[in-house]
């Protein structure tokens, strides 16, 4: 999209109104529970295909014995233009609880990435009231899809609203032309408008407001924060960015560029630690980080034709990562991600996931020099997550959508995405710096899994080190055992819950503090 068209599209998105009606149905939300009559939808924009919103009363008993009672709302937000014509329907799920102390409860808006992913990953994987258990080392697409109470849910300290961008979940463009929503700037404007309208309609403008985004959803965070403040007039108290991309130029690099190997080396070292039975803690990863930006980078710059440099790299990488010396030598100390996937469990005929090197699957062609295979985590999760969400919508939330496909991971969105114009790759590190510098109370947590080769944690660590302190203590990085979706590991899910709760507590305390003159 040309620059001027992108600007115009962003302004149009901000000007759009969300012709939102309140939730319409109210039943007891437990499986098989009694249902109250379904009222008809009030007058709204013509052409809506999704059913009326459903509101249910729910209860979950957590593994520690705590009981959470809450209201669940499943439905859609109609996006209309200034003339009242329906443009799109945005699917969402909200979980809300009454405040214990009479104060406004925090509210968090959760969005996944891709672009093209629905919010199911964050919902039933990470922070919602229920979660889908998955295998620790291998994932079966045909596994049981029954949900269990989530011991790591954030519902104990914040209300949660999960939003699906156009083309994901049940969210659709009314005229079938979804591509006009699939660009960096317009996407952020639309999602900011959806968040703002939800706040207005539900009377939550006075609530402390937070954002959580995963992967490209993390990339969206600083953009949405800026749109909310500058175009709509809404300020966020905090953001939690899970496995984010902050600057695509750091990750999308050719093989001739040494920087990509520097960024991924600590994650390969974390893989080696796990495979030797150790925990990839900060102290355990420190030697790999120091080597990556020191002697490793210096030897990489000498080029693959320098035999002495390749020899030094090979010896050091073999010790740090556990990878075979011959493999590393053939790769000139520059192990490709695809090569690593086959090399780690080659003797067993298995391949590993780029998203979490701790998860493996069978290599369909182990005796072939080249093998094409689906990712053992990302692809294997698609069937159980989709089925679990369909069951959650239909049985628990009483919002079945029989005549529309649920899109967990829509590749058409990713392929059709407009990344902007010009020669510079998109980045949001400057947006993050702007948000932190402008608001002295905003707090941000960036969280990664140590064994993620898609968005390696070391990239964010080095990028965040380029952000000035702005008073200190408001920008943090946490690295947990696991990969891109580290929250599927119980210990990492618990650690994320603890770190997020601490951020919320500090942000709310800052918000309530009486301003003092400097």
């Amino acid at each position: 999209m040309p620059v001027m068209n992108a600007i115009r599209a962003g302004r149009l998105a901000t000007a759009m109104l969300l012709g939102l009606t309140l939730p319409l149905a109210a039943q007891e939300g437990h499986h098989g529970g009694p249902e109250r009559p379904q009222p008809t939808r009030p007058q709204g924009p013509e052409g809506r295909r999704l059913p009326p919103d459903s509101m249910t009363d729910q209860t979950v008993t957590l593994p520690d014995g705590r009981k959470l009672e809450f209201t669940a709302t499943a439905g859609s937000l109609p996006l209309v233009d200034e003339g009242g014509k329906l443009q799109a329907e945005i699917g969402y799920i909200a979980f809300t609880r009454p405040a214990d102390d009479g104060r406004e409860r925090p509210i968090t808006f959760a969005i996944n990435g891709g672009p093209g992913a629905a919010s199911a990953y964050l919902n039933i994987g990470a922070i919602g009231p229920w979660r889908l258990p998955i295998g620790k080392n291998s994932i079966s697409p045909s596994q049981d899809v029954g949900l269990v109470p989530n011991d790591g849910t954030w519902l104990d300290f914040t209300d949660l609203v999960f939003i699906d961008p156009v083309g994901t979940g049940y969210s659709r463009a009314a005229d079938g032309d979804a591509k006009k929503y699939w660009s960096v700037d317009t996407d952020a404007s639309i999602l900011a408008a959806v968040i703002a309208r939800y706040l207005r309609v539900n009377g939550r403008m006075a609530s402390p407001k937070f954002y959580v985004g995963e992967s490209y959803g993390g990339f969206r965070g600083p953009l949405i924060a800026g749109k909310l403040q500058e175009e709509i007039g809404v300020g966020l108290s905090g953001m939690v960015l899970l496995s984010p991309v902050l600057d695509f130029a750091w990750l999308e690099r050719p093989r001739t560029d040494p920087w990509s190997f520097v960024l991924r080396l600590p994650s390969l070292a974390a893989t080696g630690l796990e495979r030797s039975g150790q925990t990839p803690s900060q102290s355990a990863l420190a030697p790999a980080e120091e080597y990556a930006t020191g002697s490793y980078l210096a030897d990489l710059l000498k080029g693959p034709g320098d035999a002495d440099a390749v020899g030094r790299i090979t010896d050091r990488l073999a010790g740090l990562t556990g990878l075979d010396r011959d493999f590393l030598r053939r790769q000139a100390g520059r192990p490709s991600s695809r090569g690593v996937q086959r090399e780690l469990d080659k003797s067993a005929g298995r391949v590993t996931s780029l998203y979490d090197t701790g998860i493996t699957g069978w290599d369909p062609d182990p005796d072939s020099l080249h093998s094409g295979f689906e990712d053992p985590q990302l692809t294997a999760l698609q069937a159980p997550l989709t089925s679990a969400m369909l069951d959650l919508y239909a049985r628990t939330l009483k919002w079945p959508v029989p005549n529309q496909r649920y899109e967990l991971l829509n590749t058409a969105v990713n392929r059709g995405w407009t990344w902007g114009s010009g020669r510079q790759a998109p980045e949001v590190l400057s947006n993050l710096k702007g948000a932190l510098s402008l608001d002295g109370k905003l707090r941000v947590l960036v969280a990664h899994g140590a064994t993620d080769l898609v968005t390696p944690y070391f990239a964010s660590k080095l990028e965040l080190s380029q952000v000035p302190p702005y008073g200190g203590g408001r920008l943090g990085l946490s690295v947990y055992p696991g990969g891109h979706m580290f929250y599927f590991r119980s210990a990492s899910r618990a650690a994320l819950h603890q770190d997020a709760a601490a951020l919320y507590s500090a942000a709310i305390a800052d918000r309530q503090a009486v301003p003092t003159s400097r």
Side-chain angles (χ1 to χ4, degrees):
M1 178 183 291
V3 173
M4 291 305 297
N5 286 346
I7 294 173
R8 208 161 111 204
R11 290 173 178 165
L12 174 62
T14 305
M16 283 182 174
L17 303 176
L18 288 171
L20 179 64
T21 57
L22 292 173
L24 305 176
Q27 313 100 6
E28 297 301 320
H30 310 294
H31 291 322
E35 298 185 10
R36 292 197 282 270
Q38 294 267 1
T40 58
R41 186 196 297 272
Q43 185 67 32
E46 295 181 1
R48 296 189 63 181
R49 298 179 180 179
L50 293 175
D53 298 358
S54 171
M55 182 184 290
T56 58
D57 299 322
Q58 305 283 352
T59 301
V60 294
T61 301
L62 302 180
D64 62 5
R66 288 181 299 150
K67 184 176 289 187
L68 296 181
E69 296 181 350
F70 59 97
T71 299
T73 304
S76 63
L77 311 178
L79 182 69
V80 302
D81 62 19
E82 292 178 322
K85 183 179 179 181
L86 182 67
Q87 301 295 303
E89 293 181 272
I90 309 297
Y92 78 99
I93 294 176
F95 303 116
T96 59
R97 300 182 66 215
D100 296 328
D101 56 5
R103 293 180 176 179
E104 288 281 347
R105 263 176 64 84
I107 187 166
T108 299
F109 295 90
I111 300 174
N112 263 95
S119 59
Y121 299 87
L122 285 171
N123 190 344
I124 61 174
I127 66 175
W130 300 281
R131 67 177 180 87
L132 176 67
I134 67 164
K136 181 179 179 181
N137 302 316
S138 182
I139 300 171
S140 169
S142 61
Q143 71 164 67
D144 177 59
V145 297
L147 300 180
V148 300
N150 183 7
D151 52 358
T153 184
W154 293 10
L155 192 55
D156 55 348
F157 60 81
T158 179
D159 291 341
L160 298 166
V161 183
F162 298 90
I163 297 173
D164 293 333
V166 172
T168 73
Y170 288 122
S171 299
R172 298 290 187 275
D175 60 2
D177 182 18
K179 199 174 185 306
K180 61 189 175 186
Y181 300 100
W182 297 345
S183 69
V184 172
D185 189 72
T186 300
D187 169 77
S189 291
I190 290 293
L191 292 172
V194 171
I195 290 171
R197 184 60 183 184
Y198 181 93
L199 292 169
R200 287 196 297 268
V201 170
N202 290 280
R204 300 300 300 269
M205 277 294 179
S207 301
K209 294 166 280 289
F210 294 82
Y211 175 90
V212 57
E214 180 183 1
S215 196
Y216 187 80
F219 180 88
R220 284 171 161 135
L223 294 174
I224 290 174
K227 299 286 186 183
L228 283 171
Q229 183 186 16
E230 298 165 15
E231 298 180 2
I232 298 173
V234 171
L236 294 178
S237 293
M239 293 188 291
V240 180
L241 312 179
L242 308 185
S243 306
V245 179
L246 299 176
D247 188 339
F248 278 92
W250 279 53
L251 297 182
E252 296 181 348
R253 312 183 80 86
R255 183 167 175 77
T256 52
D257 188 333
W259 197 234
S260 61
F261 305 108
V262 170
L263 299 179
R264 288 180 172 85
L265 174 57
S267 292
L268 291 176
T271 300
L273 288 169
E274 281 201 343
R275 288 171 178 261
S276 65
Q278 302 177 65
T279 300
S281 63
Q282 181 177 350
S283 60
L285 290 171
E289 294 180 5
E290 182 179 358
Y291 173 63
T293 54
S295 300
Y296 184 44
L297 177 58
D299 276 341
L300 286 173
L301 291 172
K302 290 179 171 63
D306 189 317
D308 291 338
V310 171
R312 289 191 297 269
I313 292 174
T314 297
D315 290 341
R316 191 65 189 276
L317 259 60
L320 285 171
T321 68
L323 288 167
D324 180 74
R325 274 183 167 80
D326 288 338
F327 167 75
L328 291 169
R329 189 176 294 108
R330 291 195 307 271
Q331 296 256 293
R334 297 157 171 78
S336 66
S337 296
R338 195 67 171 177
V340 168
Q341 282 189 277
R342 296 193 76 197
E343 184 65 28
L344 284 171
D345 282 310
K346 186 176 181 180
S347 60
R350 296 180 69 83
V351 293
T352 191
S353 171
L354 280 178
Y355 292 84
D356 186 345
T357 56
I359 294 176
T360 67
W362 294 109
D363 187 339
D365 296 298
D367 55 351
S368 173
L369 185 61
H370 301 284
S371 177
F373 51 87
E374 299 291 342
D375 189 87
Q377 183 180 42
L378 185 68
T379 308
L381 276 174
Q382 188 153 351
L385 277 177
T386 299
S387 294
M389 284 301 299
L390 291 173
D391 186 64
L392 175 66
Y393 272 119
R395 289 206 298 158
T396 304
L397 304 182
K398 311 299 182 186
W399 199 65
V401 185
N403 298 322
Q404 187 158 296
R405 177 189 174 95
Y406 176 82
E407 295 282 1
L408 176 73
L409 193 59
N410 190 345
T411 57
V413 176
N414 198 280
R415 290 195 301 267
W417 201 259
T418 299
W419 294 97
S421 60
R423 301 179 64 180
Q424 183 173 337
E427 58 87 21
V428 294
L429 193 62
S430 59
N431 302 83
L432 180 61
K433 291 170 65 177
L436 286 166
S437 61
L438 187 64
D439 187 346
K441 294 186 176 183
L442 175 67
R443 291 180 178 266
V444 179
L445 171 66
V446 176
H448 279 272
T451 52
D452 176 11
L453 297 180
V454 176
T455 57
Y457 82 87
F458 199 45
S460 287
K461 183 171 184 175
L462 294 177
E463 288 168 326
L464 296 182
S465 69
Q466 305 304 311
V467 178
Y470 304 129
R474 295 185 293 115
L475 174 62
L477 172 69
S478 292
V479 180
Y480 312 108
H484 199 73
M485 293 163 272
F486 56 82
Y487 44 75
F488 281 116
R489 301 196 189 190
S490 59
S492 297
R493 187 169 58 251
L496 173 65
H497 178 276
Q498 181 178 354
D499 290 346
L503 179 142
Y504 277 61
S505 178
I508 292 170
D510 286 348
R511 187 175 186 267
Q512 295 169 347
V514 177
T516 57
S517 59
R518 293 182 63 85

